[in-house]
Amino acid sequence: MAAGVATWLPFARAAAVGWLPLAKKTMPKPPVDNSSRSDEILYVNVSGVRFQTWKNTLDRYPDTLLGSSEKEFFYNEDTQEYFFDRDPEMFRHILNFYRTGKLHYPRHECIQAFDEELAFYGIVPEIIGDCCMEEYRDRKKENQERLAEDTEANEAMDAPLPPHSTSRERLWRAFENPHTSTMALVFYYVTGFFIAVSVIANVVETVPCRPPKGSVKELPCGEKYQLAFFCMDTACVLIFTFEYLMRLFAAPSRCKFMRSVMSVIDVVAIMPYYIGLVMPENEDVSGAFVTLRVFRVFRIFKFSRHSQGLRILGYTLKSCASELGFLLFSLTMAIIIFATVMFYAEKGTKGSTFTSIPASFWYTIVTMTTLGYGDMVPNTIAGKIFGSICSLSGVLVIALPVPVIVSNFSRIYHQNQRADKMRAQQKVRLARIRMAKKGTTNAFLQYKEDRDRDSDSTALCVKNKSAFEHQHHHLLHCLEKTTNHEFTDEMTYSELCMTESVGFRTSRSTSLSSQQGAQNNSTGCCPRRARRRAAMRLANSTVSVSRGSVQELDTLHVKTTSIPPQTRSSLNAQADDLKLNCGEQDFTAAIISIPTPPANTPDESLPPSPAPIPGILRNTRATAYTHDTVKISSL
Amino acid sequence: MGLVMGTFSMQSKQVNYHKDKADDDLEMTMVCHRPEGLDQLEAQTNFSKRELQVLYRGFKNECPSGVVNEDTFKQIYSQFFPHGDASTYAHYLFNAFDSAHTGSIKFEDFVTALSILLRGSVTEKLQWTFNLYDINRDGYINKEEMTDIVRAIYDMMGKYTYPVLKTDAPKQHVDAFFQKMDKNRDGVVTLDEFILSCQEDENIMRSLQLFENVI
């Protein structure tokens, strides 16, 4: 209650007069208070909406933005007011907090926007009043769940494999996300098919078939075609065993995997077969053996890997555990009570089916769930009365926890739906964002071209460019000068690398290459290892671009071991012993997309501009573009 | 069956709820005090109009109903002394503020007391303090009253003090006080004795000026 404290402090200090006659020692000097004592009205302008409040009001909470000297940063001398470029609607709530001491959460606002405003004004969300705290907490939890889901989904689905993943990691990933590779998908469908086959076989083998020749009795199909069913069962179990062992091998944490639900289901599904193989064929244990066969039906649960709906159902039941527990408990209580009553009510009747209290359990359950088989009916009047009360209360008791379970299921289901929808929309959205970004990033390369092409008519280049663009281009230019390398495009670079490594001269139409001739080709700028990685990067980057990866600019890191001083002359002159550091480097590619193909005219009269990769650059862009991406390579 | 019992019990509960609600409403409507006019208060106290405005705004914000009852008063005062238990001393303070013994402090009482404490003359301050110490308002401070007061003050310190608080510290303090104040050694301190003794003590005189500029 900071507000209270600040207001009542003068009174508490005044009341200290009561201690003075008792004081054993002299009192310390009071603090000097230089601030103006008189209260004044402050004007706060939030995006045009003017608020006025007493200075004291804001001073109540000195650890917030408005209560501390931090607000002086926003003071506008000309208009004598504090100007904040924020949402005035939200500010209303913030200001009310100062006035009343209670922070309320406006229900119609987005929770993230509200949180941001609070963070800006330095207010801790914990002081939201009790009236709004629950709503705030719920919304916040929902939002966090959604965020967690999204990041998880993004990571899980579209994350490209780390480059040095072992076969084990790849295998695990194939198992968890089947649609990442065709092999995994095939395996996924095959296992699904065999699960279905196994379950159907289990079902069909109990159906009575026509009796074999020479016999009258009908046999279940399982016994008639015993060999066929046995073979089918063996095949299924082999596949399941193989799958389980593969998963066990690939799992990053074997203990955790073995404890997981799906693994337990797998084991339970295949164990009966092996136990059946091992067990001898004598009559005593065949009863137990038959029981084991029941466990084969658990194979149907293996479908939950294939069906998301099943997983949602399972998750719902897990999250409603408390409600289910309550339901079970109350039902048990009611069953016991009613069974006892019914038993004693019907005790005297001759030929009564209510032979004992446990026997009455069956009646109670059947009545409470309104099944009413009619195999047990009360005959006495008392029995009938209690029977009717039992059925009425049954309806109520079962109806109570069900809506909670339903609402939980609906929430989880919608979350899932939303996650799927978001993934689909994400791709479209990212594609659109990428297209918007293209416009800005190509401008620099265009600008360079223009500049180099006609260096005297700079006016042309200056046309239609904002101050921001100017400065940005200047910045990129500075970077080029700093590293003594230039920005180029992907096509030329990859082409260059491949030809260089193979070792033959390419007929490049650049002035530089024609000048430098043989020198360029000797030590490839990209020895084999680097080239392969480049190719893989290319493949990856194109794949990721086409799949709309989250990261637009996929920058790898340049690890330079030692860069020999590369002056322009040395670059040109001694390309022989110029390893160009490709050997030890992992280079990265910044993908910039350009919508329009740059100028096609190879410019022979180019001044010898610094060329990091001999014989690259713009002019080779005359070649047709298959994909419009540009790679910035830095060696 | 359980449901039947449940419905019966719910019925009776509802009746009680109605009754309580009616009581609360009655209470709420009765208590809403407005102070006398600003001019009158300005005449009665030593505060300027502006200061009264600031004081009232703060007061009204914290207590929209216009009065402070003892529990709220204790709560407010305790906020300043989180280490110990300030409720006993707050109780004595409350009685000192509530000069008319109505059981609640109105804005006028509040402002009158503040005016004396902050802007009053030395005699007035000392008189107010005497009233504070004189719990039963009989005009004399005896040892029991003083011990209560001193113990209440020591309670505010809490348990963790340096040096460690001895159990007879309040008693010693009271003895020292009486030594100084009780001139005729009759076991009680009268108002005149009190004022005289305090005026003789330079420390007390000096410290009375401490809280001049609190507002």
Side-chain angles (χ1 to χ4, degrees):
Chain A
M1 220 183 91
V5 171
T7 321
W8 295 105
L9 186 61
F11 141 71
R13 294 180 75 198
V17 168
W19 307 336
L20 295 179
L22 284 169
K24 285 191 189 166
K25 299 212 175 97
T26 48
M27 293 288 172
K29 284 171 69 134
V32 178
D33 196 356
N34 282 331
S35 67
S36 68
R37 276 276 153 212
S38 68
D39 209 0
E40 41 169 331
I41 292 187
L42 295 181
Y43 298 94
V44 180
N45 186 342
V46 182
S47 302
V49 180
R50 280 187 104 214
F51 295 89
Q52 296 172 9
T53 182
W54 293 107
K55 187 168 185 302
N56 271 355
T57 312
L58 293 181
D59 286 342
R60 286 200 195 132
Y61 297 98
D63 53 350
T64 58
L65 186 153
L66 290 171
S68 66
S69 57
E70 194 183 343
K71 64 177 182 282
E72 301 304 323
F73 285 101
F74 298 93
Y75 189 68
N76 187 343
E77 295 286 347
D78 309 324
T79 51
Q80 299 273 306
E81 62 187 13
Y82 294 90
F83 182 74
F84 293 97
D85 198 9
R86 313 282 299 185
D87 188 1
E89 289 297 321
M90 298 279 205
F91 188 75
R92 209 168 51 82
H93 297 284
I94 308 272
L95 198 51
N96 275 339
F97 162 64
Y98 285 90
R99 291 178 180 144
T100 62
K102 289 209 231 13
L103 181 63
H104 293 279
Y105 166 59
R107 277 162 179 70
H108 56 270
E109 297 285 356
C110 171
I111 184 79
Q112 264 183 318
F114 187 66
D115 265 346
E116 276 169 17
E117 293 295 312
L118 286 186
F120 179 81
Y121 291 109
I123 296 175
V124 188
E126 272 65 41
I127 48 175
I128 290 183
D130 286 336
C131 44
C132 300
M133 191 46 143
E134 214 178 288
E135 170 87 19
Y136 173 79
R137 281 246 167 86
D138 286 342
R139 291 273 284 265
K140 189 135 190 207
K141 197 167 66 146
E142 211 178 307
N143 196 42
Q144 272 170 352
E145 274 177 13
R146 184 186 322 157
L147 278 177
E149 242 174 51
D150 291 344
T151 47
E152 189 187 287
N154 275 335
E155 282 167 18
M157 304 317 254
D158 294 355
L161 268 177
H164 299 290
S165 57
T166 62
S167 64
R168 190 174 147 185
E169 286 172 12
R170 270 206 294 271
L171 194 61
W172 179 248
R173 197 150 171 282
F175 273 127
E176 292 298 301
N177 304 322
H179 56 264
T180 46
S181 80
T182 35
M183 263 306 291
L185 209 58
V186 161
F187 189 69
Y188 177 76
Y189 283 125
V190 160
T191 42
F193 172 71
F194 272 100
I195 295 175
V197 159
S198 164
V199 169
I200 291 175
N202 283 344
V203 166
V204 163
E205 76 181 5
T206 59
V207 171
C209 278
R210 256 175 304 158
K213 287 199 186 62
S215 158
V216 179
K217 198 170 63 139
E218 263 196 359
L219 275 181
C221 283
E223 285 180 30
K224 186 167 172 197
Y225 301 103
Q226 203 163 14
L227 193 60
F229 278 107
F230 181 73
C231 290
M232 213 175 331
D233 203 22
T234 311
C236 293
V237 167
L238 277 176
I239 301 248
F240 296 154
T241 316
F242 173 71
E243 183 205 352
Y244 180 69
L245 289 174
M246 283 285 108
R247 275 185 206 264
L248 192 62
F249 166 69
S253 154
R254 299 222 168 97
C255 292
K256 197 169 85 138
F257 172 72
M258 288 186 73
R259 280 200 300 253
S260 74
V261 176
M262 289 311 302
S263 143
V264 168
I265 291 179
D266 286 337
V267 169
V268 171
I270 58 180
M271 274 330 252
Y273 177 80
Y274 288 111
I275 296 182
L277 276 185
V278 168
M279 249 195 323
E281 278 289 347
N282 53 0
E283 291 300 313
D284 322 333
V285 285
S286 70
F289 178 57
V290 165
T291 320
L292 267 181
R293 293 181 120 200
V294 167
F295 282 99
R296 289 188 303 173
V297 80
F298 272 87
R299 289 181 195 161
I300 209 171
F301 283 115
K302 284 166 70 74
F303 266 130
S304 59
R305 277 216 185 88
H306 299 250
S307 153
Q308 206 180 31
L310 259 184
R311 275 203 298 271
I312 294 178
L313 190 61
Y315 186 65
T316 309
L317 290 177
K318 196 164 65 156
S319 70
C320 304
S322 65
E323 278 82 32
L324 284 175
F326 165 68
L327 176 63
L328 210 60
F329 177 68
S330 57
L331 267 180
T332 313
M333 250 178 38
I335 287 172
I336 294 179
I337 292 176
F338 279 110
T340 314
V341 167
M342 290 306 295
F343 172 72
Y344 282 113
E346 290 284 310
K347 194 160 177 194
T349 329
K350 212 167 25 183
S352 151
T353 41
F354 294 83
T355 50
S356 65
I357 293 186
S360 311
F361 281 168
W362 173 243
Y363 169 76
T364 316
I365 293 176
V366 166
T367 314
M368 280 187 93
T369 53
T370 70
L371 275 176
Y373 286 132
D375 53 350
M376 289 164 83
V377 278
N379 288 320
T380 60
I381 296 184
K384 288 184 181 163
I385 292 175
F386 286 118
S388 40
I389 296 177
C390 171
S391 66
L392 286 174
S393 61
V395 169
L396 282 173
V397 167
I398 292 186
L400 284 176
V402 168
V404 179
I405 299 175
V406 165
S407 78
N408 259 355
F409 179 79
S410 143
R411 178 175 65 90
I412 294 171
Y413 182 71
H414 280 130
Q415 263 179 10
N416 246 291
Q417 293 293 85
R418 195 186 52 219
D420 289 340
K421 247 192 295 182
M422 270 213 48
R423 262 192 291 269
Q425 288 170 352
Q426 187 94 316
K427 298 193 178 144
V428 178
R429 221 173 54 182
L430 286 174
R432 241 184 277 142
I433 291 176
R434 227 182 323 122
M435 288 231 310
K437 275 196 178 181
K438 274 182 197 175
T440 51
T441 50
N442 78 316
F444 180 60
L445 293 153
Q446 184 75 26
Y447 152 70
K448 279 206 326 179
E449 234 185 60
D450 293 344
R451 183 202 59 194
D452 293 327
R453 211 165 356 119
D454 32 43
S455 46
D456 36 304
S457 61
T458 48
L460 264 176
C461 307
V462 176
K463 68 175 191 297
N464 293 341
K465 281 207 321 185
S466 63
F468 170 77
E469 278 191 349
H470 274 293
Q471 288 163 10
H472 187 218
H473 293 168
H474 174 253
L475 185 66
L476 292 173
H477 204 57
C478 289
L479 183 59
E480 281 187 338
K481 293 284 186 227
T482 311
T483 56
N484 209 12
H485 292 66
E486 280 200 0
F487 294 121
T488 179
D489 61 54
E490 184 179 358
M491 276 279 290
T492 23
Y493 183 73
S494 56
E495 176 186 293
L496 176 80
C497 279
M498 293 204 286
T499 53
E500 290 270 336
S501 66
V502 174
F504 53 83
R505 197 183 306 197
T506 60
S507 57
R508 283 186 216 95
S509 53
T510 60
S511 58
L512 295 164
S513 64
S514 55
Q515 286 170 17
Q516 290 150 18
Q519 298 160 356
N520 302 337
N521 306 328
S522 44
T523 55
C525 63
C526 330
R528 273 179 300 272
R529 189 178 69 160
R531 180 196 33 114
R532 243 208 323 252
R533 215 169 292 135
M536 196 179 82
R537 287 281 151 53
L538 270 178
N540 261 359
S541 53
T542 42
V543 163
S544 63
V545 157
S546 62
R547 288 179 62 198
S549 68
V550 180
Q551 292 173 334
E552 300 297 342
L553 298 176
D554 193 11
T555 46
L556 314 157
H557 298 292
V558 179
K559 254 183 346 199
T560 60
T561 46
S562 63
I563 307 179
Q566 290 176 349
T567 63
R568 201 176 299 179
S569 51
S570 72
L571 266 180
N572 296 342
Q574 293 158 29
D576 271 326
D577 36 4
L578 204 57
K579 292 280 183 252
L580 291 178
N581 305 318
C582 284
E584 294 85 47
Q585 279 182 11
D586 262 355
F587 45 81
T588 53
I591 301 175
I592 305 181
S593 7
I594 40 174
T596 62
N600 288 338
T601 59
D603 194 356
E604 294 298 325
S605 62
L606 268 179
S609 40
I613 307 164
I616 15 82
L617 296 220
R618 321 165 198 72
N619 301 322
T620 55
R621 282 187 300 215
T623 57
Y625 283 91
T626 51
H627 50 255
D628 40 346
T629 51
V630 173
K631 191 173 284 195
I632 296 181
S633 61
S634 57
L635 290 180
Chain B
M1 206 153 40
L3 293 162
V4 169
M5 300 297 292
T7 35
F8 274 133
S9 60
M10 269 190 0
Q11 274 285 14
S12 54
K13 233 172 133 185
Q14 204 159 23
V15 173
N16 287 341
Y17 170 75
H18 275 308
K19 204 154 70 88
D20 285 335
K21 203 153 119 34
D23 273 345
D24 280 331
D25 280 342
L26 209 53
E27 229 179 79
M28 289 284 285
T29 46
M30 265 176 28
V31 182
C32 193
H33 180 80
R34 279 198 187 81
E36 315 163 10
L38 193 54
D39 298 322
Q40 276 169 294
L41 274 178
E42 191 191 4
Q44 286 171 8
T45 65
N46 302 331
F47 290 120
S48 70
K49 268 212 176 110
R50 262 190 173 242
E51 288 165 339
L52 283 172
Q53 280 179 337
V54 171
L55 279 171
Y56 187 67
R57 278 208 297 276
F59 186 84
K60 180 83 176 171
N61 223 349
E62 294 306 309
C63 313
S65 58
V67 293
V68 189
N69 59 5
E70 185 161 347
D71 286 327
T72 324
F73 191 85
K74 280 188 181 164
Q75 243 178 349
I76 292 170
Y77 200 67
S78 302
Q79 282 175 122
F80 295 100
F81 306 101
H83 307 285
D85 176 27
S87 50
T88 330
Y89 188 67
H91 169 74
Y92 297 133
L93 265 184
F94 185 83
N95 285 338
F97 269 76
D98 184 16
S99 40
H101 307 289
T102 53
S104 58
I105 301 181
K106 301 186 287 296
F107 183 63
E108 292 96 332
D109 302 326
F110 183 70
V111 141
T112 317
L114 274 187
S115 158
I116 295 174
L117 286 172
L118 301 176
R119 302 286 163 90
S121 68
V122 169
T123 324
E124 286 175 345
K125 288 184 191 175
L126 289 173
Q127 203 162 7
W128 192 90
T129 316
F130 185 84
N131 264 334
L132 172 68
Y133 294 160
D134 184 13
I135 299 175
N136 56 4
R137 304 274 186 275
D138 62 353
Y140 302 104
I141 307 177
N142 52 12
K143 276 217 167 147
E144 288 81 26
E145 288 173 342
M146 209 55 224
T147 317
D148 287 338
I149 298 265
V150 170
R151 198 170 285 133
I153 294 180
Y154 274 94
D155 279 343
M156 282 200 285
M157 290 291 294
K159 206 169 63 166
Y160 305 106
T161 55
Y162 177 78
V164 181
L165 211 56
K166 300 200 200 23
T167 38
D168 62 344
K171 188 171 175 314
Q172 282 184 350
H173 205 136
V174 170
D175 288 337
F177 177 79
F178 265 79
Q179 191 84 351
K180 197 165 62 170
M181 302 285 168
D182 192 5
K183 291 285 195 277
N184 57 3
R185 302 272 175 268
D186 58 354
V188 292
V189 180
T190 62
L191 179 61
D192 302 316
E193 280 177 345
F194 183 74
I195 293 179
L196 215 63
S197 314
C198 289
Q199 278 172 336
E200 284 167 7
D201 189 339
E202 260 189 41
N203 274 340
I204 297 180
M205 285 295 115
R206 212 188 355 250
S207 50
L208 277 178
Q209 319 300 324
L210 262 183
F211 299 108
E212 296 270 279
N213 56 348
V214 164
I215 294 271

